[in-house]
């Protein structure tokens, strides 16, 4: 616990200001985890999460029940602590708060201090802006010994209601966690884990990764890990997450070696702290996987359990680094070793290349779903792919460019007169604000008709199936449809029910986003835009276009900016 | 009684009071050609054969899903229990989320997961739909009531927790005598949820795990990897709270094709109705272009079945034959006649020269037997067709396995290369296309199937001795492994006998020391085998349409699939409806004789059309913007004409000597010219026309008097407004704020 938190705790114990604002831009959750247990001793404390309490009623109920330490039970209909109605307005809440204080004082404790900790108060500003001002003045309004603490990533200036109605808080800024703080935190995690898991482990008499005897090894491991990760994140929880995923795998060779020794009949052997030399070897073996863990776990490309399973070291790889500590199976593994040499083909290739391989593996995350899912180009029907490309073009190109891009002269030839970019670049720079390229602005909405029109142009140019149909139909109009005007067939094809159904389907997949209300028939037609993420990324659409033989770069107005 | 004249009311509700008509009868229309009870028989036959097909498809899908269902259930089982070493050291508990990607969007998969969860594992499953989640309190309310509703509804009062408070769920969970081990929340159509709301829901729920053992089961339908959707739609702060695992349900074109092949090209399953190449081709095209979900597949199958039974009265014979007595009944005489002609025709062909007098008499009593015979004959022909496909595939795979090219790129490469680089085939469903080719093989030798068979012959003749032996062995093994009924019916034992002899020869030639004479013998053997295979395949793939005189009972052949009904072009249909409304209304008369007596006179003159069509024709003649008043006036003119013409026709009926109306000469002439280049009606010309037509109108209604005229104007106005609104509703008209008396055209350059 750092000095600022200590200061808060002692303040709260002696004479607290009525309103404290803790600003922790890095890890407010971590700060709370430290603060709350320190305060439990002689105060009544309630911790409120502003996302869970998304309405005033929930906020009042949670605060009152929490202060009264009352748990609603299902059998009596989830009754609140207060007998009176306490949750319909702030007024009744204040009354209930006073009543609560009186009843608590009657029950013995002479001087009772109430503390309300509110996490993420910035969300209160969105949902119930009226509540913030009275909450900051709670002590004043109730005339009780009550302290309100806001813990937020944001600063008070950004949350503060206008007009200065709210009381100015006692500001506390939590410093950025240092390496020492993080390591200390991780050591406490180890301590708590060794107490909880020892209950399970003693029964089976097998060592577990959080055995107290391993604490020195753990400290060493944590130091290495923090060194690797600290550059990228200093949120203790994030580092704890990565530690949790890696530590059991890291220490497993040691535990396995011990287990093997026990199995061989050496019952008396005690688990010994691994020697420094062993630790060094372990570190050398696992160090590449630490940065890998950071790359995959920090953005949560996979979760800790799955990551640990995938990245468990094989016996062969361990044996290579001399990390198999049981003598018995050593020989078997030695035999297997040459198999692994195939992968590491030449002796001239040092270990660094292995690290590069590992990092390559990190770029293609091994999570199972990546391999199993089909790319859009095979999983979407043909017309849906056309629709997506048309939507991308409609989203990215300005409306005025459509005629130039897709227009045809009366002779059926495309007349595409593109402005010569080079000349434009040489022209004198125009004054006024610089135009931001569309790809930075994101997709812009377009009406359904424009989508259908662009789709028609794409299908006409690039869909061989439609072409085949055309030829067939020339001979025998089987369905009684006769198209003489060029493009009429395509026009017929792209206004089929199936096309509209596909658009609706893509909308439900969020590959297209409908920007107008669905229940409105009047007025302008439905507007769409490309969905966020994959559907609007240039690479995805380019992949689709390649599969369909569409020259996408030629069809984009601002294609110079794309590459 | 509703008083429609009450001007204070803006809306009237006219309740529906029962139907005057009878419920439409279910089943095909009665046809004169039907046998006694033929209608019902056809309906029953349809139901039986469709249900058979449906069950087959569903069983296939079910087997496909089963391992994945198991995987999902297993993941739910271990959600909170796996790897305690890691979980206990996490900074905070994570909410397990199992994301299921199910591209085929059918409910079968989820329902089997749910039934498995709630029946076998005693978990409680609650559902959450996107419509429940307009905001966080509604979402929480639905989640909580979804779980707690099994122990009665929660009646919150103002002194208890709010019904959207997660505390309710917690206290409910703790009050259970036997707490369910997991609470599974199934989020349907996850892409449609508002991420803003779900983000908060996830936060609230994750604060309460594992006290409440919640598990989110998320159903995604987009085919991207599930975690990638999460990563694009949700911020890291939300992802941090999840333990995301993903499962992918098989789907997509490959599975789609598998299901079709296993339904129609599998020797262990005999569908009652065999779909012809036309339907199958439509199916492949529709699937490749629009939709390849199992639901779409079933829809097309069902429609094909339905159409088959709807149009052909003979389809009553698909499964069973009516008794001879029923056939003798006078009601089925026409039916019998058709049958008779069909059967006779074929017999004449068979025994042309023998005795021409005898052929006309097939006793009715023999009829059922003959029909039964035909049915069996056809079924064995269909089996032969499927066998031919399997044999060709066997040859192809054998060749591939030996490192040859196989029968060509359209047969697909070897499994290893297939996944890496999909071959550039013209169709998305190559395997199915081959079967379609086989069905279409004709004697012209130019069809793809004939080429394939020829090619197979060439390749087989070149086999090396050792390969020849292996091939014969494979072939015999395959044939022996066929289902018994197929084996018996197609006389496979004879085939196996022949092949076995050859195998012995090949063995003998192979084991005896290498000798040039042996080589020659083997070569000859290979040639014999190749010749025989090609002959055999040719007989197997004889056209199904020649299999039986009654082939169209069991086979849809080249009959086109009614694709325009399933997937019409909306705009074209609407325009056609407005331009030529009579073609739609008289569609039923086309095959009958009841054409209108005066239809040939001047059917396309504008005044005969309904109001909306008249207005639409005028619309097409205008410029980009339409002055509504001008539009009304032109409409008025046509209605005036219509009124006079109708009066005249009435007159003509009463006194047939009256000469033809002069109004005809004023019928719109501009239309023809306006077609190619819509001319904007300039106000001057328009005004002139209007005055002229006004005069016409006034002239025509001179006799009716002034009061009548006023009333007529009101009628015209009402009809105009209604027609205008219809066009507006159809989207032909766009309003502008700038010029309230003008509307914008939205449709241009319509060819009639």
């Amino acid at each position: 616990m750092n000095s600022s938190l200590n200061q808060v705790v002692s303040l709260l114990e002696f004479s607290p200001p009525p309103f404290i604002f803790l600003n922790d831009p890095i890890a407010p959750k971590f700060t709370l985890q430290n603060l709350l247990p320190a305060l439990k001793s002689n105060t009544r404390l309630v911790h409120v999460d502003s996302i869970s309490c998304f309405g005033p009623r929930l906020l009042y109920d949670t605060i009152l029940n929490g202060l009264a330490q009352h748990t609603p039970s299902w059998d009596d209909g989830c009754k609140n602590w207060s007998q009176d109605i306490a949750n319909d307005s702030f007024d009744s809440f204040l009354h209930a708060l006073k009543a609560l204080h009186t009843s608590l004082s009657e029950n013995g404790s002479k001087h009772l201090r109430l503390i309300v900790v509110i996490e993420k108060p910035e969300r209160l500003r969105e949902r119930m802006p009226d509540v913030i001002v009275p909450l900051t003045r709670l002590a004043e309004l109730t005339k009780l010994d009550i302290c309100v603490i806001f813990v937020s990533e944001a600063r008070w200036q950004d949350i503060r209601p206008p007009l200065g109605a709210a009381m100015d808080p006692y500001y506390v800024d939590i410093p950025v966690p240092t390496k020492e703080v993080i390591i200390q935190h991780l050591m406490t995690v180890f301590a708590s884990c060794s107490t909880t898991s020892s209950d399970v482990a003693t029964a089976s008499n097998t060592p577990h990764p959080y055995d107290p005897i391993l604490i020195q090894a753990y400290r060493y491991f944590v130091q290495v890990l923090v060194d690797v990760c600290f550059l990228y994140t200093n949120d203790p929880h994030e580092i704890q997450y990565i530690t949790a995923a890696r530590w059991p795998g890291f220490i497993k060779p040691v535990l396995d070696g011990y287990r093997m020794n026990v199995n061989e009949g050496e019952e008396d052997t005690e688990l010994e702290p691994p020697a420094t030399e062993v630790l060094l070897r372990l570190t050398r073996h696992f160090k590449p996987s630490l940065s890998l863990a950071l790359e995959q776990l920090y953005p949560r490309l996979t979760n800790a359990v799955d990551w640990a399973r995938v990245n468990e070291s094989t016996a062969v790889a361990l044996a290579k680094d001399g990390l198999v500590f049981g003598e018995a199976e050593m020989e078997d593994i030695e035999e297997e070793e040459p198999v692994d040499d195939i992968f590491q083909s030449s002796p001239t290739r040092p270990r660094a290349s292995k690290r590069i391989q590992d990092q390559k593996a990190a770029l293609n995350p091994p999570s199972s779903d990546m391999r199993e899912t089909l790319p859009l180009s095979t999983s979407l029907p043909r017309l849906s792919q056309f629709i997506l490309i048309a939507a991308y073009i409609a989203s990215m190109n300005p409306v005025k460019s459509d005629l130039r891009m897709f227009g045809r002269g009366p002779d059926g030839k495309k007349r595409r007169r593109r402005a010569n970019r080079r000349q434009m670049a040489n022209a004198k720079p125009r004054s006024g604000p610089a135009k931001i390229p569309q790809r930075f602005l994101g997709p812009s909405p377009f009406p359904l008709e424009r989508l259908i029109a662009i789709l028609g142009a794409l299908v006409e140019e690039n869909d061989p199936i439609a072409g085949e149909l055309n030829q067939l139909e020339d001979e025998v109009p089987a369905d009684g449809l006769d198209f003489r005007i060029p493009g009429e067939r395509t026009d017929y094809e792209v206004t089929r029910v199936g096309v509209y159904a596909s658009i609706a389907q893509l909308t439900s997949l969020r590959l297209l986003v409908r920007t107008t209300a669905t229940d409105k028939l009047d007025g302008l037609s439905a507007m769409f835009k490309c969905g966020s993420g994959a559907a609007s990324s240039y690479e995805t659409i380019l992949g689709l276009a390649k599969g369909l033989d569409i020259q996408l770069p030629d069809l984009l107005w601002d294609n110079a900016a794309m590459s | 009684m509703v008083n429609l004249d009450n001007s204070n009311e803006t809306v009237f509700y006219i309740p529906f009071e029962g139907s005057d008509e009878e419920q439409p009868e279910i089943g095909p229309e009665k046809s004169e050609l039907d046998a006694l009870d033929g209608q019902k028989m056809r309906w029953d036959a349809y139901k039986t054969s469709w249900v058979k097909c449906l069950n087959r498809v569903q069983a296939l899908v079910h087997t496909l899903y089963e391992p994945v269902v198991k995987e999902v259930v297993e993941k739910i089982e271990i959600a909170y229990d796996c790897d305690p070493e890691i979980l206990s050291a996490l900074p905070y508990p994570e909410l397990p989320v199992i994301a299921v990607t199910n591209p085929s969007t059918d409910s079968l998969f989820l329902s089997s997961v749910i039934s498995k969860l709630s029946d076998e594992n005693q978990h409680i499953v609650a559902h959450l739909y996107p419509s429940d989640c307009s905001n966080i309190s509604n979402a929480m309310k639905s989640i909580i009531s979804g779980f707690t509703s099994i122990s009665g509804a929660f009646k919150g009062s103002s002194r208890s927790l709010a019904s959207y408070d997660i505390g309710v769920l917690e206290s409910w969970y703790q009050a259970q005598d036997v707490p369910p081990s997991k609470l599974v929340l199934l989020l349907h159509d996850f892409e449609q949820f508002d991420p803003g709301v779900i983000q908060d829901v996830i936060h609230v729920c994750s604060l309460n795990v594992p006290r409440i053992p919640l598990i989110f089961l998320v159903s995604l339908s987009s085919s991207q990897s599930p975690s990638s959707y999460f990563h694009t739609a949700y911020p890291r702060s939300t992802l941090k709270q999840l333990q995301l695992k993903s499962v992918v349900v098989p789907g997509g074109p490959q599975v789609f094709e598998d299901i079709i092949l296993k339904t129609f090209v599998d020797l262990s399953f005999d569908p009652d109705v065999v779909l012809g190449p036309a339907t199958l081709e439509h199916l492949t095209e529709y699937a490749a272009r629009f939709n390849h979900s199992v639901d779409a597949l079933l829809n097309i199958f069902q429609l094909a079945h339905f159409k088959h039974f709807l149009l052909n009265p003979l389809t009553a014979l698909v499964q069973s034959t009516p008794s001879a007595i029923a056939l003798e009944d006078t009601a089925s005489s026409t039916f019998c006649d058709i049958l008779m002609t069909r059967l006779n025709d074929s017999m004449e062909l068979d025994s042309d020269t023998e005795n021409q007098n005898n052929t006309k008499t097939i006793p009715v009593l023999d009829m059922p037997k003959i029909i039964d015979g035909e049915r069996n004959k056809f079924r064995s022909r269909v089996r032969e067709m499927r066998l031919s496909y399997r044999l060709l595939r066997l040859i192809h795979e054998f060749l591939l396995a030996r490192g040859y090219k196989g029968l060509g790129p359209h047969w697909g490469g070897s499994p290893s290369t297939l996944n890496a680089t999909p071959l550039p085939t013209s169709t998305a469903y190559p395997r199915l296309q081959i079967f379609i080719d086989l069905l279409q093989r004709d004697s012209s030798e130019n069809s793809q199937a004939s080429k394939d068979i020829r090619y197979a012959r060439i390749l087989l003749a070149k086999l090396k001795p050792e390969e020849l032996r292996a091939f014969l062995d494979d072939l015999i093994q395959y044939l022996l492994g066929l289902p018994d009924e197929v084996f018996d019916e197609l006389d496979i034992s004879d085939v196996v006998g022949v092949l076995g002899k050859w195998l012995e020869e090949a063995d003998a030639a192979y084991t005896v020391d290498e000798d040039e004479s042996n080589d020659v013998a083997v070569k000859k053997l290979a040639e014999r085998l190749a010749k025989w295979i090609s002959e055999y395949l040719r007989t197997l793939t004889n056209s199904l349409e020649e299999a039986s005189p009654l082939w169209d009972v069991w086979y849809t052949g080249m009959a086109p699939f009614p694709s325009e009904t399933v997937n019409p072009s909306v705009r074209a249909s609407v325009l056609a409806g407005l331009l030529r409304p009579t073609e739609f209304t008289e569609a039923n008369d086309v095959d009958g004789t009841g054409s209108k007596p005066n239809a040939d006179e001047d059917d396309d003159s504008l005044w005969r059309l309904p109001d909306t069509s008249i207005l639409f024709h005028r619309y097409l003649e205008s410029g980009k913007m339409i002055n509504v008043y001008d539009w009304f006036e032109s409409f008025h003119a046509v209605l005036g004409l219509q009124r006079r013409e109708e009066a005249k026709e009435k007159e003509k009926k009463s006194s047939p000597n009256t000469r033809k109306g002069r109004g005809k000469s004023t019928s719109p002439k501009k239309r023809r010219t306006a077609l190619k280049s819509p001319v904007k009606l300039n106000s001057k010309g328009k005004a002139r026309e209007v005055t002229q037509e006004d005069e016409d109108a006034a002239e025509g209604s001179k006799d009716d008097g002034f009061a009548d005229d006023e009333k007529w104007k009101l009628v015209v106005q009402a009809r105009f407004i209604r027609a205008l609104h219809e066009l507006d509703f159809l989207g032909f008209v766009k309003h502008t704020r700038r010029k309230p008396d003008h509307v914008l055209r939205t449709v241009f350059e319509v060819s009639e």
Side-chain angles (χ1 to χ4, degrees), chain B residues 73-148:
Chain B
V73 172
E74 203 177 294
K75 283 209 156 100
I76 289 175
E77 276 300 302
I78 61 163
Y80 283 99
D81 308 327
C82 60
D83 288 302
E85 288 173 358
I86 292 171
L87 288 182
S88 64
L90 292 183
Y92 38 82
E94 294 173 312
L95 176 69
V97 173
I98 292 155
V100 178
T101 297
N102 186 8
S104 56
T105 65
D106 53 6
S107 51
L108 196 66
F109 176 76
L110 285 179
S111 59
S112 45
V113 171
I114 294 166
S115 65
K116 198 142 194 182
L117 281 178
S118 44
D119 295 350
E120 295 175 17
N121 304 64
Q122 306 293 325
H123 301 315
I124 294 181
V125 182
H127 301 259
L128 193 65
Y129 296 93
S131 56
D132 300 335
C133 293
S134 50
N135 57 41
I136 169 93
S137 35
N138 284 347
M140 290 308 296
K141 200 187 263 177
S142 337
I143 292 172
I144 291 161
S145 65
F147 286 116
T148 57

Side-chain angles (χ1 to χ4, degrees), chain A residues 320 341-351 353:
Chain A
K320 196 171 207 61
D341 272 343
I342 297 166
F343 299 108
Q344 207 160 357
S345 51
S346 74
T348 52
R349 196 182 290 172
R351 179 157 290 116
S353 75

Side-chain angles (χ1 to χ4, degrees), chain A residues 294-346:
Chain A
L294 184 76
E295 276 165 32
Q296 291 185 8
L297 291 178
Y298 183 72
R300 293 292 191 278
L301 294 177
T302 175
N303 61 62
V305 176
D306 286 347
W307 188 87
R309 197 171 300 143
V310 170
N311 286 284
E312 202 166 297
S313 267
T314 56
V316 180
L318 287 173
K320 196 171 207 61
D321 282 343
L323 286 171
V324 176
F325 303 111
E327 277 94 43
E329 283 177 36
M330 196 68 179
E331 293 135 31
D332 304 345
I333 292 158
E334 296 282 356
E335 280 165 25
E336 282 173 33
E337 212 170 340
V339 183
D340 195 48
D341 272 343
I342 297 166
F343 299 108
Q344 207 160 357
S345 51
S346 74

Side-chain angles (χ1 to χ4, degrees), chain A residues 11 67 77 200 210 298 313 390 440 462 495 539:
Chain A
L11 258 180
L67 288 176
V200 191
Y210 293 98
Y298 183 72
S313 267
F440 295 136
N462 298 295
T495 52
E539 282 71 30

Side-chain angles (χ1 to χ4, degrees), chain A residues 480-491:
Chain A
L481 298 163
D482 193 8
F483 299 105
R484 293 201 196 83
I485 305 171
E488 199 182 3
R489 173 95 211 175
T490 309
D491 193 47

Side-chain angles (χ1 to χ4, degrees), chain A residues 127 241 379 463 495-496 510, chain B residues 94 200 223 289 567 569:
Chain A
R127 288 227 177 90
Y241 193 81
S379 62
D463 196 1
T495 52
R496 280 185 186 277
R510 291 247 170 180
Chain B
E94 294 173 312
D200 287 355
S223 48
R289 284 174 74 78
N567 190 12
S569 182

Side-chain angles (χ1 to χ4, degrees), chain B residues 41-273:
Chain B
M41 278 174 60
R42 269 199 282 160
W43 177 241
D44 290 343
Y46 159 71
K47 273 197 293 192
T48 327
S49 48
W50 164 238
V51 166
K52 190 172 170 188
C53 177
L54 176 71
N55 286 345
R56 172 72 179 182
V57 173
Q58 281 183 338
L60 287 173
V61 173
H62 205 78
T63 38
L64 204 65
Y65 284 168
E66 201 156 291
V68 191
V69 170
K70 227 170 119 188
E71 191 188 340
V72 170
V73 172
E74 203 177 294
K75 283 209 156 100
I76 289 175
E77 276 300 302
I78 61 163
Y80 283 99
D81 308 327
C82 60
D83 288 302
E85 288 173 358
I86 292 171
L87 288 182
S88 64
L90 292 183
Y92 38 82
E94 294 173 312
L95 176 69
V97 173
I98 292 155
V100 178
T101 297
N102 186 8
S104 56
T105 65
D106 53 6
S107 51
L108 196 66
F109 176 76
L110 285 179
S111 59
S112 45
V113 171
I114 294 166
S115 65
K116 198 142 194 182
L117 281 178
S118 44
D119 295 350
E120 295 175 17
N121 304 64
Q122 306 293 325
H123 301 315
I124 294 181
V125 182
H127 301 259
L128 193 65
Y129 296 93
S131 56
D132 300 335
C133 293
S134 50
N135 57 41
I136 169 93
S137 35
N138 284 347
M140 290 308 296
K141 200 187 263 177
S142 337
I143 292 172
I144 291 161
S145 65
F147 286 116
T148 57
S149 57
I150 51 158
S151 25
F154 170 71
K155 289 189 199 69
S157 71
S158 52
R159 278 190 292 152
S160 62
L161 292 179
S163 58
Y164 44 82
D165 193 334
I166 190 84
V168 173
L169 188 60
E170 193 183 342
S171 59
W172 167 81
Y173 180 73
Q174 273 154 10
Q176 298 301 303
D177 299 329
V178 188
S181 61
K182 306 274 156 51
L183 302 180
V184 181
L185 182 69
L186 177 52
L187 292 99
H188 295 266
D189 303 328
F190 190 68
E191 285 101 338
Q192 291 172 51
F193 283 98
D194 179 6
V197 173
I198 291 302
Q199 215 171 303
D200 287 355
V201 169
I202 287 174
H203 183 88
V204 173
C205 293
S206 76
L207 287 182
N208 288 279
V209 290
R211 269 173 298 152
I212 315 172
L214 274 169
I215 293 175
F216 280 25
L217 181 60
V218 168
S219 159
L220 291 148
S221 38
S222 92
S223 48
Q224 308 164 60
S225 91
S227 62
S228 87
Y229 176 74
F230 271 90
H231 279 93
T232 52
Y234 290 91
R236 204 179 77 87
S237 59
T238 303
L239 294 173
K240 256 161 63 174
Q241 291 158 341
L242 307 178
Q243 188 188 49
L244 190 63
K245 301 197 170 182
S246 36
V247 178
V248 179
V249 180
Q254 200 82 34
V255 169
F256 184 85
E257 193 181 20
D258 273 347
I259 288 177
I260 302 177
L261 286 178
K262 280 185 184 158
T263 311
F264 287 104
V265 203
D266 196 285
L267 282 166
S268 55
F269 177 74
D270 290 307
D272 285 339
V273 175

